[in-house]
Coordinates of all heavy atoms in Angstrom, one line a residue:
S271 N -0.4 -4.6 -13.1 CA -0.9 -4.9 -11.8 C 0.0 -4.2 -10.7 O 1.2 -3.9 -10.9 CB -1.0 -6.4 -11.5 OG 0.3 -7.0 -11.5
R272 N -0.6 -4.0 -9.5 CA 0.1 -3.5 -8.4 C -0.4 -4.2 -7.1 O -1.4 -4.8 -7.1 CB -0.1 -2.0 -8.2 CG 0.4 -1.1 -9.4 CD 1.9 -1.1 -9.5 NE 2.3 -0.2 -10.6 CZ 2.6 -0.6 -11.8 NH1 2.3 -1.8 -12.2 NH2 3.0 0.3 -12.7
D273 N 0.3 -4.0 -6.1 CA 0.0 -4.5 -4.7 C -0.6 -3.4 -3.9 O 0.1 -2.5 -3.5 CB 1.3 -5.1 -4.1 CG 1.0 -5.8 -2.8 OD1 0.0 -5.5 -2.1 OD2 1.8 -6.7 -2.4
F274 N -1.9 -3.4 -3.7 CA -2.6 -2.3 -3.0 C -2.7 -2.7 -1.5 O -3.4 -3.7 -1.2 CB -3.9 -2.0 -3.6 CG -3.8 -1.5 -5.0 CD1 -3.9 -2.4 -6.1 CD2 -3.6 -0.2 -5.3 CE1 -3.8 -1.9 -7.4 CE2 -3.5 0.3 -6.6 CZ -3.6 -0.6 -7.6
V275 N -2.1 -1.9 -0.6 CA -2.2 -2.2 0.8 C -2.9 -1.1 1.5 O -2.6 0.1 1.3 CB -0.8 -2.4 1.4 CG1 0.2 -1.3 1.1 CG2 -0.8 -2.8 2.8
Y276 N -3.8 -1.4 2.4 CA -4.6 -0.4 3.1 C -3.8 0.3 4.2 O -2.9 -0.3 4.8 CB -5.8 -1.0 3.7 CG -6.9 0.0 4.1 CD1 -7.7 0.5 3.0 CD2 -7.2 0.4 5.4 CE1 -8.7 1.5 3.3 CE2 -8.1 1.3 5.7 CZ -8.9 1.9 4.6 OH -9.8 2.8 4.9
I277 N -4.1 1.6 4.4 CA -3.3 2.4 5.3 C -3.2 1.8 6.7 O -2.1 1.9 7.4 CB -3.9 3.8 5.4 CG1 -3.1 4.7 6.3 CG2 -5.4 3.8 5.8 CD1 -1.7 5.0 5.9
D278 N -4.3 1.2 7.2 CA -4.2 0.7 8.6 C -3.1 -0.4 8.7 O -2.5 -0.5 9.8 CB -5.6 0.1 9.0 CG -6.7 1.1 9.1 OD1 -6.4 2.3 8.9 OD2 -7.8 0.8 9.5
D279 N -3.0 -1.2 7.7 CA -2.0 -2.3 7.7 C -0.6 -1.7 7.6 O 0.4 -2.2 8.3 CB -2.2 -3.3 6.6 CG -3.4 -4.2 6.8 OD1 -3.6 -4.6 8.0 OD2 -4.1 -4.5 5.9
V280 N -0.4 -0.6 6.9 CA 0.9 0.1 6.8 C 1.3 0.6 8.2 O 2.4 0.5 8.6 CB 0.8 1.2 5.7 CG1 2.1 2.0 5.8 CG2 0.7 0.5 4.3
V281 N 0.3 1.2 8.8 CA 0.6 1.8 10.2 C 1.0 0.7 11.1 O 1.9 0.8 11.9 CB -0.7 2.6 10.7 CG1 -0.6 2.9 12.2 CG2 -0.9 3.9 9.9
D282 N 0.2 -0.4 11.1 CA 0.5 -1.5 12.0 C 1.9 -2.1 11.8 O 2.7 -2.3 12.7 CB -0.5 -2.6 11.9 CG -1.9 -2.3 12.4 OD1 -2.0 -1.3 13.2 OD2 -2.8 -3.0 12.1
A283 N 2.3 -2.2 10.5 CA 3.6 -2.7 10.2 C 4.7 -1.8 10.7 O 5.8 -2.2 11.3 CB 3.8 -3.0 8.7
T284 N 4.5 -0.5 10.5 CA 5.5 0.5 10.9 C 5.7 0.5 12.4 O 6.8 0.6 12.9 CB 5.1 1.9 10.4 OG1 4.9 1.8 9.0 CG2 6.2 2.9 10.7
I285 N 4.6 0.4 13.2 CA 4.7 0.3 14.6 C 5.4 -0.9 15.1 O 6.2 -0.9 16.1 CB 3.3 0.4 15.2 CG1 2.7 1.8 15.0 CG2 3.3 0.1 16.8 CD1 1.3 2.0 15.4
L286 N 5.2 -2.0 14.4 CA 6.0 -3.2 14.7 C 7.5 -3.0 14.6 O 8.3 -3.4 15.4 CB 5.6 -4.4 13.9 CG 4.2 -5.0 14.2 CD1 3.9 -6.0 13.1 CD2 4.2 -5.7 15.5
G287 N 7.9 -2.2 13.5 CA 9.3 -1.8 13.3 C 9.8 -1.0 14.4 O 11.0 -1.1 14.8
I288 N 9.0 -0.1 15.0 CA 9.4 0.7 16.1 C 9.6 -0.1 17.3 O 10.6 0.1 18.1 CB 8.4 1.9 16.3 CG1 8.3 2.8 15.1 CG2 8.7 2.6 17.6 CD1 7.1 3.8 15.2
E289 N 8.7 -1.0 17.6 CA 8.6 -1.6 18.9 C 9.4 -2.9 19.0 O 9.8 -3.3 20.1 CB 7.2 -1.9 19.3 CG 6.4 -0.6 19.5 CD 4.9 -0.9 19.9 OE1 4.4 -2.0 19.7 OE2 4.3 0.1 20.5
K290 N 9.7 -3.6 17.9 CA 10.3 -4.9 18.0 C 11.8 -4.8 17.7 O 12.2 -4.3 16.6 CB 9.6 -5.9 17.0 CG 8.3 -6.4 17.5 CD 7.7 -7.4 16.5 CE 6.5 -8.1 17.0 NZ 6.9 -9.2 18.0
D291 N 12.6 -5.4 18.5 CA 14.1 -5.5 18.3 C 14.4 -6.3 17.1 O 15.4 -6.2 16.5 CB 14.8 -6.0 19.5 CG 14.8 -5.0 20.7 OD1 14.6 -3.8 20.4 OD2 15.0 -5.4 21.8
E292 N 13.5 -7.3 16.8 CA 13.7 -8.2 15.7 C 13.8 -7.4 14.3 O 14.3 -7.9 13.3 CB 12.6 -9.2 15.6 CG 12.6 -10.3 16.7 CD 11.9 -9.8 18.0 OE1 11.5 -8.6 18.0 OE2 11.7 -10.6 18.9
A293 N 13.3 -6.2 14.3 CA 13.3 -5.4 13.1 C 14.6 -4.7 12.9 O 14.9 -4.2 11.8 CB 12.2 -4.4 13.2
N294 N 15.4 -4.6 13.9 CA 16.7 -3.8 13.8 C 17.6 -4.2 12.7 O 17.9 -5.4 12.5 CB 17.4 -3.9 15.1 CG 16.7 -3.3 16.3 OD1 15.6 -2.7 16.1 ND2 17.2 -3.4 17.5
Y295 N 18.0 -3.2 11.9 CA 18.9 -3.4 10.8 C 18.4 -4.3 9.7 O 19.1 -4.9 8.9 CB 20.3 -4.0 11.3 CG 20.9 -3.1 12.3 CD1 20.9 -3.6 13.7 CD2 21.5 -1.9 12.1 CE1 21.5 -2.8 14.7 CE2 22.0 -1.1 13.1 CZ 22.1 -1.5 14.4 OH 22.6 -0.8 15.3
E296 N 17.0 -4.3 9.6 CA 16.4 -5.2 8.6 C 15.6 -4.3 7.6 O 15.2 -3.2 7.9 CB 15.5 -6.2 9.2 CG 16.2 -7.2 10.1 CD 16.9 -8.3 9.4 OE1 16.9 -8.3 8.2 OE2 17.6 -9.1 10.1
V297 N 15.3 -4.9 6.4 CA 14.4 -4.3 5.4 C 13.3 -5.2 5.2 O 13.4 -6.4 5.2 CB 15.1 -4.0 4.1 CG1 16.3 -3.0 4.3 CG2 15.6 -5.2 3.4
F298 N 12.1 -4.6 5.1 CA 10.9 -5.4 5.0 C 9.9 -4.9 3.9 O 9.7 -3.7 3.7 CB 10.1 -5.4 6.3 CG 10.8 -5.9 7.5 CD1 11.4 -5.1 8.4 CD2 10.8 -7.3 7.7 CE1 12.0 -5.6 9.5 CE2 11.5 -7.8 8.8 CZ 12.1 -7.0 9.7
N299 N 9.4 -5.8 3.1 CA 8.3 -5.4 2.2 C 7.0 -5.2 3.1 O 6.8 -5.9 4.1 CB 8.0 -6.6 1.2 CG 9.0 -6.7 0.2 OD1 9.6 -5.7 -0.2 ND2 9.2 -7.9 -0.4
V300 N 6.2 -4.2 2.7 CA 4.9 -4.0 3.3 C 3.8 -3.9 2.2 O 3.9 -3.0 1.4 CB 4.8 -2.8 4.2 CG1 3.5 -2.6 4.8 CG2 5.9 -2.8 5.3
G301 N 3.0 -4.9 2.1 CA 2.0 -4.9 1.1 C 0.8 -5.9 1.5 O 0.8 -6.4 2.6
L302 N -0.1 -6.1 0.6 CA -1.1 -7.1 0.8 C -0.6 -8.5 0.3 O -1.2 -9.5 0.7 CB -2.4 -6.7 0.0 CG -3.6 -7.5 0.1 CD1 -4.1 -7.6 1.6 CD2 -4.8 -7.0 -0.8
G303 N 0.3 -8.5 -0.6 CA 0.9 -9.7 -1.1 C 0.1 -10.3 -2.2 O 0.1 -11.5 -2.5
L304 N -0.7 -9.4 -2.9 CA -1.5 -9.8 -4.1 C -1.3 -8.8 -5.2 O -1.2 -7.6 -5.0 CB -3.0 -9.9 -3.7 CG -3.5 -10.9 -2.7 CD1 -4.9 -10.7 -2.4 CD2 -3.3 -12.3 -3.3
A305 N -1.3 -9.4 -6.5 CA -1.2 -8.5 -7.6 C -2.6 -8.3 -8.2 O -3.3 -9.2 -8.5 CB -0.3 -9.2 -8.7
I306 N -3.0 -7.0 -8.2 CA -4.4 -6.7 -8.7 C -4.3 -5.8 -9.9 O -3.6 -4.7 -9.8 CB -5.2 -6.0 -7.5 CG1 -5.3 -7.0 -6.3 CG2 -6.6 -5.6 -8.0 CD1 -5.8 -6.3 -5.1
D307 N -4.9 -6.2 -11.0 CA -4.6 -5.4 -12.2 C -5.5 -4.1 -12.3 O -6.5 -4.0 -11.6 CB -4.9 -6.3 -13.5 CG -6.3 -6.8 -13.6 OD1 -7.2 -5.9 -13.8 OD2 -6.5 -8.0 -13.6
V308 N -5.1 -3.2 -13.1 CA -5.7 -1.9 -13.2 C -7.2 -2.0 -13.7 O -8.1 -1.3 -13.3 CB -4.9 -1.0 -14.1 CG1 -5.6 0.4 -14.3 CG2 -3.5 -0.8 -13.6
N309 N -7.5 -3.0 -14.6 CA -8.8 -3.2 -15.1 C -9.8 -3.5 -13.9 O -10.9 -3.0 -13.8 CB -8.9 -4.3 -16.1 CG -8.4 -3.9 -17.4 OD1 -8.4 -2.7 -17.8 ND2 -7.9 -4.8 -18.2
T310 N -9.3 -4.4 -13.0 CA -10.1 -4.7 -11.8 C -10.3 -3.5 -10.9 O -11.4 -3.3 -10.4 CB -9.3 -5.9 -11.0 OG1 -9.2 -7.0 -11.8 CG2 -10.1 -6.2 -9.7
V311 N -9.3 -2.7 -10.7 CA -9.4 -1.5 -9.9 C -10.5 -0.6 -10.5 O -11.4 -0.1 -9.8 CB -8.1 -0.8 -9.8 CG1 -8.3 0.6 -9.1 CG2 -7.0 -1.6 -9.1
A312 N -10.4 -0.3 -11.8 CA -11.3 0.6 -12.4 C -12.8 0.1 -12.4 O -13.7 0.8 -12.0 CB -10.9 0.8 -13.9
N313 N -12.9 -1.2 -12.7 CA -14.3 -1.7 -12.7 C -14.9 -1.8 -11.3 O -16.1 -1.6 -11.1 CB -14.3 -3.2 -13.3 CG -14.2 -3.1 -14.8 OD1 -15.2 -2.8 -15.5 ND2 -13.1 -3.5 -15.4
T314 N -14.0 -2.1 -10.3 CA -14.5 -2.1 -8.9 C -15.0 -0.7 -8.4 O -16.0 -0.6 -7.8 CB -13.4 -2.6 -8.0 OG1 -13.0 -4.0 -8.4 CG2 -13.9 -2.7 -6.5
L315 N -14.2 0.3 -8.8 CA -14.6 1.7 -8.4 C -15.8 2.1 -9.1 O -16.7 2.7 -8.4 CB -13.4 2.6 -8.7 CG -12.2 2.5 -7.8 CD1 -11.1 3.4 -8.4 CD2 -12.5 2.8 -6.4
V316 N -16.0 1.9 -10.4 CA -17.2 2.3 -11.1 C -18.4 1.6 -10.5 O -19.5 2.2 -10.3 CB -17.1 1.9 -12.6 CG1 -18.4 2.0 -13.3 CG2 -16.1 2.8 -13.3

Side-chain angles (χ1 to χ4, degrees):
S271 65
R272 297 293 184 269
D273 186 335
F274 296 95
V275 57
Y276 199 74
I277 181 63
D278 292 4
D279 286 323
V280 169
V281 167
D282 287 347
T284 307
I285 292 175
L286 288 172
I288 293 170
E289 295 182 338
K290 284 182 170 282
D291 290 341
E292 291 86 348
N294 294 356
Y295 304 107
E296 299 284 357
V297 299
F298 298 100
N299 288 331
V300 180
L302 184 60
L304 294 174
I306 299 167
D307 66 63
V308 176
N309 285 334
T310 298
V311 172
N313 281 289
T314 302
L315 290 175
V316 167

